[in-house]
Amino acid sequence: MGRKSPLTDRQWEEIERRVLAGEKVRPLSREFGIAESAVRKKIGAQVNKIKHVANQLVEAEENFRSLPISAQISARTLANDLMAISANLASGAKLGSMTFNELSIIANRKAIKLDKDRPNEEDLATIAKLTRVGNDSATVAINLLNANKAAIERVAESEANKPVEQNTDISPADAYKRMIGI
């Protein structure tokens, strides 16, 4: 475990905000009485990511504005639909994982009550059904976690292999499908 930072979270946020606004790290590190390397280590990756995402947002907004109005409406509608689908899938995954948990608890309680020397076949069948339904209810959550993991790995791989040419001919729906691994 590393040493506790001499700065508060609020001070780190201020440093990050000011670096994003264009201030140099060296004078900020002097002002806050902390090593320049500590500042770079603490906020460097985050600042770079924020700048990268901001540039992507600007580029997306420019591309969006270059579309005819009817296409902008279609793009916004599709984006809203994709976000709603994503939110609903996430909600369903959460509920499915909660169902898995509850059924696992019930199955476990039944298993604890079993006569270990002479288990009742009906009880074993009930435990098996509870376990199977519980596992099935967790499928959406597991698939979303795996899709998220795969998407993160793809992003990390593409970042590692920069420069990567962006294909601007891809539709938002296809981009979303690629992101979640469909």
Side-chain angles (χ1 to χ4, degrees), residues 159-178:
E159 288 295 318
N161 296 326
K162 285 282 184 188
V164 174
E165 288 294 318
Q166 300 278 331
N167 181 357
T168 56
D169 296 329
I170 190 168
S171 73
D174 288 340
Y176 182 78
K177 287 177 184 175
R178 285 186 187 175

Side-chain angles (χ1 to χ4, degrees), residues 24-97:
K24 302 292 182 198
V25 171
R26 182 171 289 158
L28 284 170
S29 64
R30 281 190 213 125
E31 178 183 333
F32 284 88
I34 192 163
E36 185 178 344
S37 61
V39 173
R40 292 187 190 286
K41 182 178 179 183
K42 176 83 173 178
I43 68 164
Q46 181 73 7
V47 165
N48 288 337
K49 185 173 185 174
I50 290 170
K51 287 179 179 179
H52 179 73
V53 169
N55 286 328
Q56 287 179 320
L57 289 170
V58 168
E59 183 180 346
E61 190 62 34
E62 288 171 356
N63 288 333
F64 180 77
R65 280 196 221 118
S66 73
L67 295 172
I69 295 296
S70 62
Q72 287 182 21
I73 293 168
S74 295
R76 182 66 64 200
T77 300
L78 179 58
N80 289 339
D81 289 347
L82 292 174
M83 287 188 289
I85 289 167
S86 181
N88 289 333
L89 282 172
S91 179
K94 181 179 178 183
L95 292 172
S97 68

